[in-house]
Amino acid sequence: MNNLPAMMKEIEAYLSPAIIESAQRCAVRLLAALPDQQQLENNRVLLAYGGGKDSSYMVAYVRYIQGLIWLQQGSTFHLRVSTNRHAAMNQSVMENIHRVYQALAMHDDERAECLVVDGLLIRPFARDLPMPESVRQQNRNDVLMNGHRFRADARSTFCNACNLSMVNSFGLAADYNGGVDLIITGDSPQEQAAYVAWARHLSRLFDAQVTSKSRGFSGFLQTLDGVAERYFSEVYGADQLTPAHRITHQLARDPLFFNIYQDTAYEAGAHWALLSEFMRFRFDELMFSFSESDCGNPTLMAHLRGLRAETLLQRNYAEGIREYVRFALGLMAKKDFPPALINEMAARYQDDDAIRQQRQRAADFAMQAFDLSEDQLICMIYSPFLAQGAQLGDWLSQQQIALDETAIRDLLEQRSEDLALAQQLTQLSGLTLTQMRHCWQSKPVSSLLEGKSSDPLSRVLRFDPHKAVIQVNNGVLNDIVTEIISGR
């Protein structure tokens, strides 16, 4: 820890007196919570790090607390920081993480352990660590299957599987190399209680076993493992589950949670110099995407909205984009984004020329991140294979696809094995024949506007946050209709 005293001196120039005071109070609480009071270095503390602006501040704050305890006690806890990576995080996120670790003198510190989780693989962090192709393919399949099952609902398409993967990364990081004693969280007690209630609610929806509250974090993970198993069985079919769809819950130690919510604020504007000057955090034009600063998926959510307006609703792309932009800028304001960042995002879609540029950027990113073409995204919007092809005819006619509908029905109902046709459909949709046939036998997921449903996927969609009811013009019906919009 030879670099720690110098880092502590440097970082304090970027911390307000109020933040320093709050960190000192937090250090006292954390020290008291560590199980081994005699050998502080035996205590292992885990912090999840997404790579965005808020979580970068969290890493800096906890690292500062680690240093405070070391300066006061001559010893301190072992800090483990873990990042769950997915296909929608590009290299700029890894570069930001590297610069944060560098500024905080964590790279060569034996008391700091920086990890990256790729699917089921957990490794020491390196900014140039390649993502396994199997993880990228899994992410692609998750987007496709969730997209078709949820009819391209933005959050369901991109977030449901990713959220469960993030929970699994918690389990992997908490179990790795002997486990951890504490997990630090910036969530309020109310948010933590909501997570537990959410897990138990999902377990009831999917008829999964609920473990005893006395099991602690491992019990929480086990409950969600049952949820994940049943959720992905619904989405993919039970015979298509992979180990990546499960959640690690057998831990070397059962850690406790330590909350720092009450100690500091997370709005980026409150610590802008620390973020941009000391840690040299940079907002990438793709990864800074509406309310996210470490994920390009919201750009694709907007793109889907534009494509939906242009194709299914027979309007134009820009109208759909403007609907999403209005909605997502509102989310940014609710999340206390600095006005300058909100204005920067609004400027990206300020006129038709800007929207055309963003459309190309989104199309390129869809291909780079998920190997998905515009035709395949449009197919997802129609979800033509659901419910024995309820939208198949509309997809074929509106998109002027010269394939025989009867032949497709024979193929997906397993009355034929026309491999040439299957290959054409895979090219158009991105789905395998097995995946198309599972969609064919699946019911469409009901939205908030379509009445209550006992189907668990419909109930997951209904209770998902960050959505709004809007009025839009339907060019097919030549009428104003009510729709749900969701996103990040």
Side-chain angles (χ1 to χ4, degrees):
M1 304 185 77
N2 296 336
N3 296 327
L4 189 57
M7 189 281 294
M8 293 292 288
K9 187 174 181 179
E10 288 175 22
I11 196 174
E12 285 185 345
Y14 294 89
L15 301 178
S16 68
I19 289 178
I20 291 174
E21 184 180 341
S22 78
Q24 290 169 340
R25 291 194 305 269
C26 188
V28 172
R29 289 197 305 113
L30 180 56
L31 182 61
L34 297 174
D36 191 337
Q37 294 286 311
Q38 303 303 314
Q39 302 289 327
L40 294 182
E41 65 273 14
N42 290 340
N43 298 286
R44 297 184 181 184
V45 174
L46 172 64
L47 178 65
Y49 180 22
K53 61 178 181 59
D54 292 338
S55 59
S56 293
Y57 176 64
M58 281 274 285
V59 174
Y61 189 80
V62 174
R63 175 65 166 164
Y64 181 65
I65 290 171
Q66 186 189 31
L68 285 177
I69 293 175
W70 182 75
L71 290 173
Q72 295 164 4
Q73 305 293 326
S75 181
T76 192
F77 58 86
H78 179 99
L79 176 60
R80 175 179 295 173
V81 183
S82 177
T83 297
N84 183 49
R85 186 164 54 160
H86 53 81
M89 294 166 65
N90 70 12
Q91 184 59 29
S92 72
V93 178
M94 299 294 278
E95 295 293 341
N96 268 337
I97 293 172
H98 173 78
R99 286 192 293 269
V100 168
Y101 289 157
Q102 195 172 48
L104 298 173
M106 295 175 68
H107 281 308
D108 299 314
D109 188 342
E110 63 183 8
R111 294 288 177 254
E113 184 180 21
C114 307
L115 303 173
V116 62
V117 179
D118 290 317
L120 300 176
L121 181 64
I122 184 165
R123 295 174 286 178
F125 174 87
R127 60 177 166 178
D128 56 355
L129 198 64
M131 176 182 286
E133 189 55 38
S134 60
V135 173
R136 196 174 299 279
Q137 185 61 44
Q138 182 66 63
N139 291 167
R140 179 181 191 269
N141 282 329
D142 287 339
V143 167
L144 279 167
M145 288 302 288
N146 280 284
H148 277 265
R149 291 303 311 278
F150 286 89
R151 296 182 287 186
D153 171 75
R155 279 177 55 86
S156 303
T157 297
F158 292 103
C159 300
N160 286 2
C162 192
N163 287 342
L164 290 169
S165 170
M166 183 177 64
V167 173
N168 182 54
S169 77
F170 263 109
L172 288 170
D175 182 59
Y176 179 74
N177 196 24
V180 296
D181 301 290
L182 290 179
I183 297 176
I184 291 184
T185 174
D187 297 320
S188 69
Q190 292 80 9
E191 286 173 317
Q192 288 187 61
Y195 291 146
V196 174
W198 169 73
R200 290 176 173 268
H201 173 69
L202 288 179
S203 67
R204 289 193 294 273
L205 288 186
F206 288 98
D207 196 25
Q209 181 180 355
V210 179
T211 56
S212 169
K213 291 183 179 180
S214 64
R215 287 286 314 282
F217 184 56
S218 62
F220 173 79
L221 293 175
Q222 186 174 3
T223 296
L224 283 179
D225 178 52
V227 169
E229 180 183 19
R230 286 161 177 78
Y231 175 84
F232 286 114
S233 292
E234 288 273 351
V235 171
Y236 279 89
D239 60 338
Q240 296 297 309
L241 285 185
T242 70
H245 289 140
R246 302 300 298 271
I247 290 175
T248 301
H249 59 82
Q250 294 179 324
L251 308 182
R253 314 182 200 185
D254 199 17
L256 299 174
F257 278 92
F258 182 84
N259 195 302
I260 65 171
Y261 171 78
Q262 65 268 45
D263 295 296
T264 190
Y266 301 105
E267 294 84 357
H271 45 262
W272 190 257
L274 174 71
L275 193 67
S276 61
E277 296 176 23
F278 179 70
M279 295 192 290
R280 294 180 294 142
F281 186 93
R282 299 292 178 261
F283 286 87
D284 179 74
E285 64 181 11
L286 267 174
M287 295 301 99
F288 171 39
S289 184
F290 293 102
S291 65
E292 300 297 314
S293 55
D294 55 13
C295 172
N297 279 337
T299 294
L300 297 184
M301 295 178 186
H303 186 45
L304 275 178
R305 189 77 201 175
L307 291 175
R308 188 176 193 279
E310 183 177 68
T311 58
L312 189 67
L313 300 182
Q314 299 286 287
R315 294 157 59 207
N316 68 69
Y317 182 86
E319 285 183 55
I321 284 291
R322 292 189 178 102
E323 290 165 2
Y324 189 90
V325 170
R326 282 193 296 271
F327 168 76
L329 292 181
L331 286 182
M332 293 179 73
K334 288 179 183 177
K335 292 188 174 185
D336 295 313
F337 268 71
L341 291 182
I342 296 177
N343 293 338
E344 180 182 334
M345 186 56 60
R348 292 187 191 176
Y349 298 91
Q350 64 185 348
D351 54 33
D352 288 346
D353 284 343
I355 288 172
R356 277 192 291 271
Q357 290 179 15
Q358 280 297 109
R359 178 174 187 165
Q360 187 59 55
R361 180 175 290 158
D364 292 344
F365 181 62
M367 185 60 69
Q368 292 161 8
F370 298 108
D371 192 26
L372 292 175
S373 68
E374 188 166 291
D375 284 343
Q376 290 165 344
L377 294 175
I378 291 170
C379 181
M380 184 191 299
I381 290 164
Y382 282 89
S383 301
F385 311 125
L386 273 184
Q388 288 82 46
Q391 294 293 317
L392 180 58
D394 287 346
W395 175 59
L396 293 173
S397 61
Q398 290 183 15
Q399 293 305 301
Q400 299 180 356
I401 296 170
L403 294 178
D404 182 68
E405 182 176 347
T406 301
I408 294 173
R409 291 183 176 277
D410 287 343
L411 174 67
L412 298 185
E413 290 175 6
Q414 302 186 57
R415 291 192 294 266
S416 84
E417 294 294 333
D418 187 337
L419 297 183
L421 177 59
Q423 190 172 11
Q424 288 176 291
L425 291 174
T426 293
Q427 185 69 29
L428 287 166
S429 69
L431 298 171
T432 66
L433 179 57
T434 298
Q435 291 168 341
M436 286 184 271
R437 283 175 168 169
H438 178 68
C439 288
W440 193 264
Q441 299 301 327
S442 301
K443 297 177 181 178
V445 175
S446 301
S447 78
L448 186 69
L449 301 175
E450 295 170 309
K452 291 186 176 181
S453 170
S454 59
D455 167 45
L457 294 186
S458 298
R459 296 176 71 185
V460 167
L461 178 62
R462 189 160 62 251
F463 290 107
D464 185 54
H466 302 315
K467 57 179 177 284
V469 178
I470 62 173
Q471 304 291 313
V472 302
N473 178 41
N474 186 313
V476 178
L477 301 176
N478 197 27
D479 198 4
I480 301 297
V481 298
T482 302
E483 287 199 342
I484 298 290
I485 187 170
S486 75
R488 297 188 78 141

